[in-house]
Amino acid sequence: MFLDQVLKKKVSLKSEKDSNLKSLLKSISWRIVGTLDTMVISYIITGQLVMAVSIGSVEVVTKILLYYVHERIWENVSKDKSEESHEKFA
């Protein structure tokens, strides 16, 4: 995927942990897909293009923020589990 190639140049993907920048870029790309989906569904339900775009515009901002927070929480949970595993074998 093209975005993956760009990320490899900008973000070190060799580490076990995703960087904040990578999480942010993943959040944005996912929201583009999600927002297009929301707009299509909204248009199918309402039959109004303006309403569909309005709904999509509001949800894109809130869901980018929610996904970013969700991603960082999971990254910390994974980190905590990894540290616990290392402590058990030490």
Side-chain angles (χ1 to χ4, degrees), residues 11-32:
V11 181
S12 173
L13 299 179
K14 294 179 181 176
S15 68
E16 293 180 21
K17 178 179 167 183
D18 284 351
S19 69
N20 289 337
L21 176 60
K22 184 178 177 188
S23 293
L24 179 62
L25 293 175
K26 285 170 61 177
S27 302
I28 291 169
S29 67
W30 176 245
R31 278 319 324 142
I32 290 169

Side-chain angles (χ1 to χ4, degrees), residues 38-72:
T38 297
M39 288 181 183
V40 169
I41 292 169
S42 298
Y43 180 72
I44 290 169
I45 292 172
T46 67
Q48 298 177 10
L49 184 58
V50 172
M51 181 64 76
V53 171
S54 296
I55 292 168
S57 298
V58 170
E59 70 91 48
V60 72
V61 174
T62 59
K63 289 193 177 168
I64 285 174
L65 295 172
L66 288 171
Y67 180 82
Y68 177 80
V69 169
H70 177 265
E71 179 79 9
R72 298 316 306 161

